[in-house]
Amino acid sequence: MKELLLIAIGSALVNNVVLSQFLGICPFLGVSKNVKTAAGMGGAVVFVITIASFVASVIYKFILVPTGFEYLQTIVFILVIAALVQFVEMFLKKAMPPLYNALGVYLPLITTNCAVLGVALTNVQKSYGILESVVNGIAVAVGFLVAIVLMAGIREKTEHNDIPKAFQGTPIVLVTAGLMAIAFFGFSGLI
């Protein structure tokens, strides 16, 4: 249990996928304009990363390793992720059309979100079992959700502030992301 807690805290806060590993930057910067949309994207990523971690771990352990096809892991993981994203896209289109429209092009981009693939590959690289893979996947996804919602909240607040012309738009977003990364670096003393 202690090991799982360390994996969770380490993945969510200390080694935050966006702010310390710089994976998943595209949706992080693109969808973080308002909190509601950011939370929706974060929720979709939580679902995809959690299920992808489980399915990829099961496929790796019970199919790829016994057959000696470990070298196909990246291709197999990409196919699993693409299928999951299609499922999420169809669900959101039917169940939550406003969120589906708000996410726009960024929803299919979850397929190419390197954070999702990075989690699956990290689970294999660290020799995590199925339970550890799922815990790591959930923690990474929650870390992504926290980071994107915090960024959206900050961007909503700075939208109405007097920002120098040279820093308006993308520059202030990048400075904010850098400051958030420095703040998350403070969690490194937890483990």
Side-chain angles (χ1 to χ4, degrees):
M1 189 64 173
K2 182 180 176 184
E3 172 101 8
L4 295 176
L5 186 61
L6 287 174
I7 290 172
I9 292 172
S11 295
L13 298 175
V14 178
N15 298 316
N16 187 285
V17 71
V18 176
L19 299 174
S20 79
Q21 296 177 7
F22 305 111
L23 298 174
I25 295 291
C26 180
F28 175 71
L29 296 176
V31 182
S32 62
K33 291 179 181 165
N34 85 29
V35 174
K36 190 173 182 179
T37 307
M41 173 59 95
V45 168
V46 167
F47 177 78
V48 170
I49 287 182
T50 302
I51 302 300
S53 295
F54 173 74
V55 173
S57 182
V58 168
I59 289 173
Y60 184 79
K61 183 174 182 173
F62 295 114
I63 297 174
L64 296 180
V65 171
T67 58
F69 290 134
E70 296 96 338
Y71 61 91
L72 293 175
Q73 69 187 8
T74 305
I75 295 169
V76 171
F77 294 168
I78 289 171
L79 291 173
V80 167
I81 292 164
L84 288 170
V85 170
Q86 287 296 346
F87 174 74
V88 169
E89 191 171 4
M90 289 185 306
F91 173 77
L92 288 178
K93 191 173 187 177
K94 292 283 186 192
M96 301 176 202
L99 179 59
Y100 174 79
N101 292 330
L103 292 175
V105 71
Y106 293 102
L107 188 58
L109 281 178
I110 295 175
T111 303
T112 59
N113 185 343
C114 52
V116 182
L117 181 60
V119 171
L121 293 174
T122 299
N123 291 339
V124 169
Q125 184 181 34
K126 292 188 176 182
S127 301
Y128 286 157
I130 295 172
L131 180 60
E132 290 95 350
S133 294
V134 172
V135 168
N136 185 48
I138 291 170
V140 166
V142 167
F144 180 86
L145 175 67
V146 167
I148 197 169
V149 169
L150 283 174
M151 174 60 99
I154 293 169
R155 284 180 77 173
E156 282 184 356
K157 293 289 184 188
T158 60
E159 188 176 306
H160 303 293
N161 289 342
D162 187 25
I163 298 172
K165 184 142 179 90
F167 283 102
Q168 290 177 359
T170 304
I172 195 66
V173 173
L174 295 175
V175 168
T176 303
L179 292 173
M180 286 176 63
I182 291 170
F184 269 68
F185 182 69
F187 289 120
S188 62
L190 287 175
I191 357 183

PDB file of all heavy atoms in Angstrom, residues 158-177:
ATOM      1  N   THR A 158      -5.956  36.400 -15.471  1.00  0.00           N
ATOM      2  CA  THR A 158      -5.062  37.350 -16.145  1.00  0.00           C
ATOM      3  C   THR A 158      -5.696  37.984 -17.377  1.00  0.00           C
ATOM      4  O   THR A 158      -5.186  38.976 -17.886  1.00  0.00           O
ATOM      5  CB  THR A 158      -3.738  36.664 -16.576  1.00  0.00           C
ATOM      6  OG1 THR A 158      -4.030  35.592 -17.464  1.00  0.00           O
ATOM      7  CG2 THR A 158      -2.959  36.184 -15.385  1.00  0.00           C
ATOM      8  N   GLU A 159      -6.802  37.418 -17.841  1.00  0.00           N
ATOM      9  CA  GLU A 159      -7.464  37.944 -19.035  1.00  0.00           C
ATOM     10  C   GLU A 159      -7.903  39.396 -18.857  1.00  0.00           C
ATOM     11  O   GLU A 159      -7.884  40.184 -19.797  1.00  0.00           O
ATOM     12  CB  GLU A 159      -8.680  37.063 -19.361  1.00  0.00           C
ATOM     13  CG  GLU A 159      -9.345  37.393 -20.672  1.00  0.00           C
ATOM     14  CD  GLU A 159     -10.468  36.409 -20.970  1.00  0.00           C
ATOM     15  OE1 GLU A 159     -10.211  35.197 -20.956  1.00  0.00           O
ATOM     16  OE2 GLU A 159     -11.603  36.882 -21.192  1.00  0.00           O
ATOM     17  N   HIS A 160      -8.278  39.769 -17.655  1.00  0.00           N
ATOM     18  CA  HIS A 160      -8.789  41.108 -17.397  1.00  0.00           C
ATOM     19  C   HIS A 160      -7.766  42.009 -16.707  1.00  0.00           C
ATOM     20  O   HIS A 160      -8.117  43.082 -16.235  1.00  0.00           O
ATOM     21  CB  HIS A 160     -10.065  41.031 -16.555  1.00  0.00           C
ATOM     22  CG  HIS A 160     -11.126  40.184 -17.202  1.00  0.00           C
ATOM     23  ND1 HIS A 160     -11.760  40.540 -18.383  1.00  0.00           N
ATOM     24  CD2 HIS A 160     -11.637  38.981 -16.871  1.00  0.00           C
ATOM     25  CE1 HIS A 160     -12.618  39.606 -18.724  1.00  0.00           C
ATOM     26  NE2 HIS A 160     -12.568  38.647 -17.826  1.00  0.00           N
ATOM     27  N   ASN A 161      -6.519  41.580 -16.659  1.00  0.00           N
ATOM     28  CA  ASN A 161      -5.466  42.384 -16.037  1.00  0.00           C
ATOM     29  C   ASN A 161      -4.758  43.228 -17.083  1.00  0.00           C
ATOM     30  O   ASN A 161      -4.821  42.964 -18.284  1.00  0.00           O
ATOM     31  CB  ASN A 161      -4.457  41.485 -15.329  1.00  0.00           C
ATOM     32  CG  ASN A 161      -5.034  40.854 -14.081  1.00  0.00           C
ATOM     33  OD1 ASN A 161      -6.041  41.316 -13.559  1.00  0.00           O
ATOM     34  ND2 ASN A 161      -4.411  39.801 -13.619  1.00  0.00           N
ATOM     35  N   ASP A 162      -4.072  44.233 -16.583  1.00  0.00           N
ATOM     36  CA  ASP A 162      -3.301  45.108 -17.454  1.00  0.00           C
ATOM     37  C   ASP A 162      -1.916  44.476 -17.653  1.00  0.00           C
ATOM     38  O   ASP A 162      -1.045  44.590 -16.798  1.00  0.00           O
ATOM     39  CB  ASP A 162      -3.183  46.500 -16.822  1.00  0.00           C
ATOM     40  CG  ASP A 162      -2.551  47.500 -17.756  1.00  0.00           C
ATOM     41  OD1 ASP A 162      -2.639  47.302 -18.980  1.00  0.00           O
ATOM     42  OD2 ASP A 162      -1.960  48.468 -17.250  1.00  0.00           O
ATOM     43  N   ILE A 163      -1.740  43.805 -18.775  1.00  0.00           N
ATOM     44  CA  ILE A 163      -0.491  43.114 -19.082  1.00  0.00           C
ATOM     45  C   ILE A 163       0.226  43.907 -20.167  1.00  0.00           C
ATOM     46  O   ILE A 163      -0.410  44.341 -21.140  1.00  0.00           O
ATOM     47  CB  ILE A 163      -0.775  41.673 -19.560  1.00  0.00           C
ATOM     48  CG1 ILE A 163      -1.473  40.897 -18.450  1.00  0.00           C
ATOM     49  CG2 ILE A 163       0.493  40.966 -19.997  1.00  0.00           C
ATOM     50  CD1 ILE A 163      -1.975  39.549 -18.863  1.00  0.00           C
ATOM     51  N   PRO A 164       1.544  44.116 -20.024  1.00  0.00           N
ATOM     52  CA  PRO A 164       2.279  44.829 -21.076  1.00  0.00           C
ATOM     53  C   PRO A 164       2.079  44.166 -22.444  1.00  0.00           C
ATOM     54  O   PRO A 164       1.965  42.949 -22.549  1.00  0.00           O
ATOM     55  CB  PRO A 164       3.737  44.708 -20.631  1.00  0.00           C
ATOM     56  CG  PRO A 164       3.670  44.479 -19.156  1.00  0.00           C
ATOM     57  CD  PRO A 164       2.404  43.727 -18.920  1.00  0.00           C
ATOM     58  N   LYS A 165       2.041  44.984 -23.470  1.00  0.00           N
ATOM     59  CA  LYS A 165       1.737  44.503 -24.819  1.00  0.00           C
ATOM     60  C   LYS A 165       2.662  43.365 -25.249  1.00  0.00           C
ATOM     61  O   LYS A 165       2.218  42.409 -25.890  1.00  0.00           O
ATOM     62  CB  LYS A 165       1.829  45.661 -25.815  1.00  0.00           C
ATOM     63  CG  LYS A 165       1.438  45.270 -27.218  1.00  0.00           C
ATOM     64  CD  LYS A 165       0.675  46.385 -27.869  1.00  0.00           C
ATOM     65  CE  LYS A 165       0.296  46.031 -29.273  1.00  0.00           C
ATOM     66  NZ  LYS A 165      -0.978  45.382 -29.383  1.00  0.00           N
ATOM     67  N   ALA A 166       3.931  43.430 -24.888  1.00  0.00           N
ATOM     68  CA  ALA A 166       4.895  42.398 -25.295  1.00  0.00           C
ATOM     69  C   ALA A 166       4.585  41.043 -24.662  1.00  0.00           C
ATOM     70  O   ALA A 166       4.980  40.007 -25.192  1.00  0.00           O
ATOM     71  CB  ALA A 166       6.307  42.820 -24.911  1.00  0.00           C
ATOM     72  N   PHE A 167       3.875  41.041 -23.539  1.00  0.00           N
ATOM     73  CA  PHE A 167       3.585  39.788 -22.843  1.00  0.00           C
ATOM     74  C   PHE A 167       2.173  39.267 -23.096  1.00  0.00           C
ATOM     75  O   PHE A 167       1.828  38.189 -22.623  1.00  0.00           O
ATOM     76  CB  PHE A 167       3.790  39.950 -21.337  1.00  0.00           C
ATOM     77  CG  PHE A 167       5.229  39.939 -20.937  1.00  0.00           C
ATOM     78  CD1 PHE A 167       5.883  41.126 -20.646  1.00  0.00           C
ATOM     79  CD2 PHE A 167       5.933  38.754 -20.855  1.00  0.00           C
ATOM     80  CE1 PHE A 167       7.205  41.129 -20.282  1.00  0.00           C
ATOM     81  CE2 PHE A 167       7.254  38.744 -20.490  1.00  0.00           C
ATOM     82  CZ  PHE A 167       7.909  39.938 -20.197  1.00  0.00           C
ATOM     83  N   GLN A 168       1.352  39.998 -23.813  1.00  0.00           N
ATOM     84  CA  GLN A 168      -0.021  39.564 -24.038  1.00  0.00           C
ATOM     85  C   GLN A 168      -0.068  38.327 -24.933  1.00  0.00           C
ATOM     86  O   GLN A 168       0.741  38.170 -25.836  1.00  0.00           O
ATOM     87  CB  GLN A 168      -0.845  40.696 -24.661  1.00  0.00           C
ATOM     88  CG  GLN A 168      -1.099  41.824 -23.698  1.00  0.00           C
ATOM     89  CD  GLN A 168      -1.854  42.976 -24.318  1.00  0.00           C
ATOM     90  OE1 GLN A 168      -2.191  42.952 -25.497  1.00  0.00           O
ATOM     91  NE2 GLN A 168      -2.122  43.999 -23.527  1.00  0.00           N
ATOM     92  N   GLY A 169      -1.021  37.447 -24.649  1.00  0.00           N
ATOM     93  CA  GLY A 169      -1.200  36.230 -25.453  1.00  0.00           C
ATOM     94  C   GLY A 169      -0.295  35.102 -24.993  1.00  0.00           C
ATOM     95  O   GLY A 169      -0.176  34.803 -23.803  1.00  0.00           O
ATOM     96  N   THR A 170       0.366  34.500 -25.956  1.00  0.00           N
ATOM     97  CA  THR A 170       1.195  33.320 -25.687  1.00  0.00           C
ATOM     98  C   THR A 170       2.342  33.588 -24.716  1.00  0.00           C
ATOM     99  O   THR A 170       2.608  32.732 -23.856  1.00  0.00           O
ATOM    100  CB  THR A 170       1.739  32.748 -27.009  1.00  0.00           C
ATOM    101  OG1 THR A 170       0.629  32.471 -27.874  1.00  0.00           O
ATOM    102  CG2 THR A 170       2.517  31.467 -26.779  1.00  0.00           C
ATOM    103  N   PRO A 171       3.047  34.722 -24.776  1.00  0.00           N
ATOM    104  CA  PRO A 171       4.158  34.917 -23.840  1.00  0.00           C
ATOM    105  C   PRO A 171       3.747  34.828 -22.364  1.00  0.00           C
ATOM    106  O   PRO A 171       4.431  34.160 -21.578  1.00  0.00           O
ATOM    107  CB  PRO A 171       4.687  36.318 -24.177  1.00  0.00           C
ATOM    108  CG  PRO A 171       4.325  36.512 -25.601  1.00  0.00           C
ATOM    109  CD  PRO A 171       3.008  35.807 -25.776  1.00  0.00           C
ATOM    110  N   ILE A 172       2.641  35.433 -21.980  1.00  0.00           N
ATOM    111  CA  ILE A 172       2.237  35.383 -20.578  1.00  0.00           C
ATOM    112  C   ILE A 172       1.803  33.967 -20.190  1.00  0.00           C
ATOM    113  O   ILE A 172       2.006  33.531 -19.052  1.00  0.00           O
ATOM    114  CB  ILE A 172       1.139  36.430 -20.254  1.00  0.00           C
ATOM    115  CG1 ILE A 172       0.995  36.610 -18.740  1.00  0.00           C
ATOM    116  CG2 ILE A 172      -0.188  36.033 -20.837  1.00  0.00           C
ATOM    117  CD1 ILE A 172       2.189  37.209 -18.067  1.00  0.00           C
ATOM    118  N   VAL A 173       1.245  33.218 -21.143  1.00  0.00           N
ATOM    119  CA  VAL A 173       0.865  31.826 -20.876  1.00  0.00           C
ATOM    120  C   VAL A 173       2.116  30.991 -20.616  1.00  0.00           C
ATOM    121  O   VAL A 173       2.157  30.175 -19.685  1.00  0.00           O
ATOM    122  CB  VAL A 173       0.042  31.245 -22.047  1.00  0.00           C
ATOM    123  CG1 VAL A 173      -0.210  29.758 -21.861  1.00  0.00           C
ATOM    124  CG2 VAL A 173      -1.277  31.987 -22.182  1.00  0.00           C
ATOM    125  N   LEU A 174       3.155  31.189 -21.412  1.00  0.00           N
ATOM    126  CA  LEU A 174       4.396  30.434 -21.221  1.00  0.00           C
ATOM    127  C   LEU A 174       5.100  30.825 -19.925  1.00  0.00           C
ATOM    128  O   LEU A 174       5.646  29.963 -19.226  1.00  0.00           O
ATOM    129  CB  LEU A 174       5.322  30.617 -22.422  1.00  0.00           C
ATOM    130  CG  LEU A 174       4.794  30.046 -23.743  1.00  0.00           C
ATOM    131  CD1 LEU A 174       5.723  30.387 -24.891  1.00  0.00           C
ATOM    132  CD2 LEU A 174       4.586  28.546 -23.631  1.00  0.00           C
ATOM    133  N   VAL A 175       5.082  32.102 -19.595  1.00  0.00           N
ATOM    134  CA  VAL A 175       5.664  32.540 -18.313  1.00  0.00           C
ATOM    135  C   VAL A 175       4.887  31.913 -17.156  1.00  0.00           C
ATOM    136  O   VAL A 175       5.476  31.426 -16.181  1.00  0.00           O
ATOM    137  CB  VAL A 175       5.676  34.091 -18.211  1.00  0.00           C
ATOM    138  CG1 VAL A 175       5.999  34.547 -16.805  1.00  0.00           C
ATOM    139  CG2 VAL A 175       6.660  34.679 -19.206  1.00  0.00           C
ATOM    140  N   THR A 176       3.580  31.898 -17.263  1.00  0.00           N
ATOM    141  CA  THR A 176       2.732  31.288 -16.229  1.00  0.00           C
ATOM    142  C   THR A 176       3.040  29.802 -16.089  1.00  0.00           C
ATOM    143  O   THR A 176       3.163  29.286 -14.975  1.00  0.00           O
ATOM    144  CB  THR A 176       1.240  31.491 -16.561  1.00  0.00           C
ATOM    145  OG1 THR A 176       0.985  32.889 -16.697  1.00  0.00           O
ATOM    146  CG2 THR A 176       0.351  30.901 -15.493  1.00  0.00           C
ATOM    147  N   ALA A 177       3.169  29.106 -17.202  1.00  0.00           N
ATOM    148  CA  ALA A 177       3.496  27.670 -17.160  1.00  0.00           C
ATOM    149  C   ALA A 177       4.856  27.447 -16.503  1.00  0.00           C
ATOM    150  O   ALA A 177       5.020  26.510 -15.706  1.00  0.00           O
ATOM    151  CB  ALA A 177       3.477  27.081 -18.566  1.00  0.00           C
TER     152      ALA A 177
END
